[in-house]
Amino acid sequence: LKNRGSSPFESTVFRIRLVVGQSFLGRFTVVQLHDPKLMKIVCISDSHHNHEKIEIPEADVLIVAGDFTRFQNPRIQDYTEFNEWLGRQPVKHKVVVAGNHDTLFQINPTLARSILTNATYLEDSECVIDGVRFWGSPWISPIGQWAFMLDDEQRAAKWDLISPETDVLITHSPPATILDECGEKWNKERIGCDSLFKRVFVVKPRLHIFGHCHESYGQGEVIPGVWSVNAAQSDEYNVLKNKPIVVEI
C-alpha cells in the first residue's frame, strides 16, 4: 500500500481496472498516475462532522456515503456547514447519500434537500455523470433509534428499485459479509444486509461504495466484477482515522 502525500487524511488511489480479480479486500494495491480517460472518484463516509479535517484531492466526483453529521444530536448547523464545505472542494460533481445519523433527511426531507445546494442528493434514485450511472440509497437494518431503518422485507423492496444499468452503487449499509464486521466494542457483530448482497450480485455495478461499519474500512472484490469500498472515515470510537479512498473507473 502506497500513500500519496504526507497528510494522514490524504487519499490513496486504487485503479479498479488493474486490481479487480487480483486482490482480496485490499491485500495489495497498484498505484498509478491519473488517466484522463478514466473517471476519478473520491469516496468518503461516516465523517461525523469532522469533514474539515479531511483533505479531498482534485477529482471528477466526490461520493459521500452517509453519516456526515455528528454522531449524537445533529443540528441544522451541521447540514449548512457540510454544504459549505462541499462547495469548497476541488471536485466538479458531488453526490451524497444520507446515513442513519443524518436524521433531517427523514424528519424534514424538504428542508434537508434545500440546504444541500452543492451536491446531488440520491435517495432510491439515480443520476448520470459523463455517461456513468450512479444510484444511491440510505437504508439500513434496525439498530438503535436512528433514521432510515427498515425491516428485511422493506429493505429488499428498496433494493429491488436499483437500476440494473447502475455503474456505481452508493448505499450507507454494507452488503452482508462484505466489509461489515464491527469491532470488539460490538462483539464483532456483522451488520451487513443479506438482501442488499443478493441485489448487488444480480446488478453487478462496477463499483459499490458504502460505510456504516466503521471498523471495516477498506476495499476489495468479493462479488466477481464488483469493487467494494467501505469508505468509513471514523473508527469505532468515532475518531477520524482513515483516508478518503480514490478509485478510477
Side-chain angles (χ1 to χ4, degrees), residues 103-145:
T103 53
L104 188 65
F105 278 92
Q106 188 166 56
I107 295 171
N108 192 336
T110 300
L111 175 59
R113 291 174 188 236
S114 71
I115 293 172
L116 198 68
T117 59
N118 289 320
T120 299
Y121 175 71
L122 298 181
E123 184 177 318
D124 301 320
S125 57
E126 65 179 3
C127 67
V128 179
I129 301 172
D130 295 336
V132 177
R133 191 176 298 273
F134 295 77
W135 185 281
S137 189
W139 309 101
I140 63 165
S141 306
I143 177 173
Q145 299 295 320

Side-chain angles (χ1 to χ4, degrees), residues 8 13 19 21-23 25 29 39 51 66 71 77-78 89 93 103 105 112 121 127 145 171 174 180 185 202 213 248:
V13 176
V19 184
Q22 303 174 52
S23 174
L25 301 186
T29 301
M39 176 179 284
H51 41 268
F71 189 80
Q77 185 178 352
D78 289 9
Q89 301 315 303
H93 303 281
T103 53
F105 278 92
Y121 175 71
C127 67
Q145 299 295 320
T171 60
D180 71 333
K185 180 181 177 182
V202 170
C213 185
E248 295 179 338

Side-chain angles (χ1 to χ4, degrees), residues 173-247:
S173 173
T177 74
I178 301 179
L179 298 168
D180 71 333
E181 184 178 299
C182 296
E184 296 287 352
K185 180 181 177 182
W186 306 105
N187 299 315
K188 292 190 173 293
E189 180 182 1
R190 287 192 175 272
I191 59 173
C193 177
D194 288 324
S195 55
L196 177 57
F197 180 97
K198 293 174 183 177
R199 187 58 178 164
V200 172
F201 192 87
V202 170
V203 174
K204 285 188 168 60
R206 286 187 280 166
L207 175 62
H208 182 195
I209 305 161
F210 50 87
H212 190 42
C213 185
H214 294 190
E215 301 89 336
S216 287
Y217 165 87
Q219 46 75 51
E221 181 189 26
V222 177
I223 297 175
V226 181
W227 194 248
S228 298
V229 172
N230 181 330
Q233 301 291 286
S234 302
D235 65 12
E236 63 183 310
Y237 299 102
N238 301 309
V239 175
L240 195 71
K241 177 181 179 181
N242 300 318
K243 303 173 178 69
I245 294 176
V246 181
V247 296

Side-chain angles (χ1 to χ4, degrees), residues 150-167:
L150 295 176
D151 63 30
D152 293 343
E153 184 176 347
Q154 291 171 320
R155 290 196 314 279
K158 293 293 187 182
W159 308 138
D160 283 344
L161 298 174
I162 298 170
S163 169
E165 305 300 318
T166 298
D167 297 302

Side-chain angles (χ1 to χ4, degrees), residues 2-12 55 243:
K2 182 178 179 182
N3 295 334
R4 297 180 62 192
S6 58
S7 168
F9 299 120
E10 285 188 4
S11 59
T12 301
E55 186 169 345
K243 303 173 178 69

Side-chain angles (χ1 to χ4, degrees), residues 13-151:
V13 176
F14 303 96
R15 181 66 57 81
I16 289 180
R17 67 186 182 124
L18 297 178
V19 184
V20 164
Q22 303 174 52
S23 174
F24 178 71
L25 301 186
R27 198 165 292 165
F28 67 88
T29 301
V30 177
V31 179
Q32 293 190 3
L33 296 176
H34 174 56
D35 184 338
K37 297 178 182 177
L38 300 176
M39 176 179 284
K40 187 175 181 180
I41 303 175
V42 182
C43 311
I44 67 171
S45 184
D46 298 86
S47 57
H48 288 295
H49 202 57
N50 286 310
H51 41 268
E52 292 287 357
K53 300 177 183 177
I54 303 171
E55 186 169 345
I56 301 295
E58 291 187 11
D60 300 303
V61 183
L62 170 62
I63 300 294
V64 182
D67 279 3
F68 48 85
T69 56
R70 68 191 72 213
F71 189 80
Q72 295 285 355
N73 303 316
R75 309 165 188 172
I76 297 294
Q77 185 178 352
D78 289 9
Y79 299 88
T80 58
E81 290 177 351
F82 174 68
N83 183 63
E84 291 167 1
W85 176 82
L86 283 173
R88 296 194 298 271
Q89 301 315 303
V91 181
K92 183 177 181 182
H93 303 281
K94 295 98 173 180
V95 180
V96 173
V97 167
N100 54 297
H101 290 276
D102 307 320
T103 53
L104 188 65
F105 278 92
Q106 188 166 56
I107 295 171
N108 192 336
T110 300
L111 175 59
R113 291 174 188 236
S114 71
I115 293 172
L116 198 68
T117 59
N118 289 320
T120 299
Y121 175 71
L122 298 181
E123 184 177 318
D124 301 320
S125 57
E126 65 179 3
C127 67
V128 179
I129 301 172
D130 295 336
V132 177
R133 191 176 298 273
F134 295 77
W135 185 281
S137 189
W139 309 101
I140 63 165
S141 306
I143 177 173
Q145 299 295 320
W146 302 109
F148 297 111
M149 297 185 296
L150 295 176
D151 63 30

